Amino acid sequence: MKSGAEPQTALLPRGAALFERVDYRLIETPEDEDRLHLMRYRAYLQAGLIPPSESRRVTDRFDDAPNVWNFGVYVDDELCSSVRIHVLTSEWRMSYTTEVFGDVLHPRLDRGEVFVDPCRFVADPEMQQRFPELPYLTVRLPFVACEHFNADVGLSMVRTDHQAFYRRVFLSETLTEPRSFPGWPTKKAVLMASDYPKVREKILTRFPIMRSSAFERRMLFQRGSVRTATSRPVLVASTAQA
């Protein structure tokens, strides 16, 4: 779907022109899933995170978790990047992040906190060169999810060398020391967190491109197949206009 936000171009960070060409789509068909898994492979291989494989695909058991949304970011109808978003609650805890950092997260989930947990943030290597603003347009989706699900915290499980980006964009704080991550033999990850209610207005002031309408949020997170309609965690969605 096209973004429902209508920010003033003069106020947008870099990527304003590309924003009008972006389409966010939920990955649901077998064909789209295969393209996504291939893009992940190319991105991780180029970054040195994985060795070559015959399948040339990267997927895991969490791609079909009941609390997950896999999004593709399309520019001019071409898949350019993707992010997988988990919504974590006391009842829905399935994600790699809770496996790696469960000692930090489970006690907070027990207290009823709601987390938006993005992962598998990848961009096609060639598209990343053509559109260097892709990271901002892709991580916009977790921010929109925080608004829709009234999240307490936006999480980020990231490589140690990517922390500066999340501090700059989401004002995130690092909660843990680096830990090993399944499937990344050459890298470690840290858990970062952004106190969404506290930083929301600051982020919107600095990055107006993060704004969204209630209509856009509903279209992104309340659509899908029978599986998504019946199996998603039931959460109260915000109706406020950002």
Side-chain angles (χ1 to χ4, degrees):
M1 62 163 288
K2 293 294 182 183
S3 169
E6 296 181 355
Q8 298 179 21
T9 302
L11 297 177
L12 292 177
R14 67 177 187 174
L18 187 62
F19 187 76
E20 297 302 319
R21 298 161 58 190
V22 163
D23 190 11
Y24 298 120
R25 302 179 194 170
L26 196 62
I27 300 293
E28 295 185 288
T29 69
E31 294 78 14
D32 286 343
E33 288 176 353
D34 189 62
R35 293 187 191 99
L36 168 61
H37 300 158
L38 176 59
M39 182 177 67
R40 283 180 184 168
Y41 174 80
R42 290 198 301 262
Y44 290 157
L45 185 67
Q46 178 163 303
L49 297 175
I50 59 173
S53 72
E54 289 187 11
S55 72
R56 294 175 55 84
R57 305 293 189 274
V58 172
T59 185
D60 61 59
R61 66 188 184 280
F62 293 108
D63 277 328
D64 295 316
N67 62 328
V68 75
W69 286 256
N70 262 311
F71 285 105
V73 179
Y74 294 76
V75 178
D76 299 335
D77 211 34
E78 285 191 85
L79 178 63
C80 293
S81 62
S82 177
V83 64
R84 186 171 75 193
I85 297 175
H86 293 262
V87 177
L88 304 178
T89 71
S90 60
E91 297 179 349
W92 300 89
R93 304 182 184 224
M94 293 80 78
S95 80
Y96 262 140
T97 307
T98 52
E99 283 205 354
V100 179
F101 297 102
D103 58 317
V104 177
L105 296 177
H106 285 305
R108 298 179 64 169
L109 290 168
D110 290 340
R111 295 195 294 268
E113 292 188 57
V114 175
F115 298 124
V116 166
D117 173 22
C119 63
R120 294 296 192 194
F121 170 30
V122 297
D124 180 274
E126 180 182 343
M127 296 300 181
Q128 178 66 67
Q129 293 296 318
R130 288 174 55 188
F131 306 121
E133 52 271 81
L134 266 178
Y136 294 91
L137 295 169
T138 306
V139 299
R140 178 178 177 268
L141 281 164
F143 187 87
V144 173
C146 284
E147 182 76 7
H148 182 73
F149 292 108
N150 290 324
D152 297 293
V153 175
L155 297 175
S156 304
M157 181 170 65
V158 303
R159 289 160 42 184
T160 54
D161 53 328
H162 286 180
Q163 293 178 80
F165 175 82
Y166 290 88
R167 290 194 188 102
R168 181 172 68 253
V169 177
F170 294 125
L171 306 177
S172 299
E173 298 179 356
T174 301
L175 301 184
T176 67
E177 295 296 321
R179 299 184 184 182
S180 297
F181 177 81
W184 285 3
T186 62
K187 299 286 184 180
K188 291 189 175 183
V190 296
L191 180 65
M192 303 185 74
S194 176
D195 185 336
Y196 180 72
K198 180 179 178 181
V199 304
R200 175 183 181 275
E201 292 303 322
K202 293 180 182 177
I203 293 172
L204 289 173
T205 298
R206 297 171 66 234
F207 296 97
I209 201 169
M210 298 293 178
R211 293 188 181 276
S212 62
S213 67
F215 173 77
E216 180 189 14
R217 296 191 291 270
R218 287 195 303 270
M219 290 295 291
L220 286 169
F221 295 103
Q222 292 185 4
R223 64 176 182 170
S225 64
V226 173
R227 180 183 71 84
T228 60
T230 59
S231 301
R232 297 297 183 199
V234 177
L235 299 171
V236 177
S238 170
T239 58
Q241 294 287 336

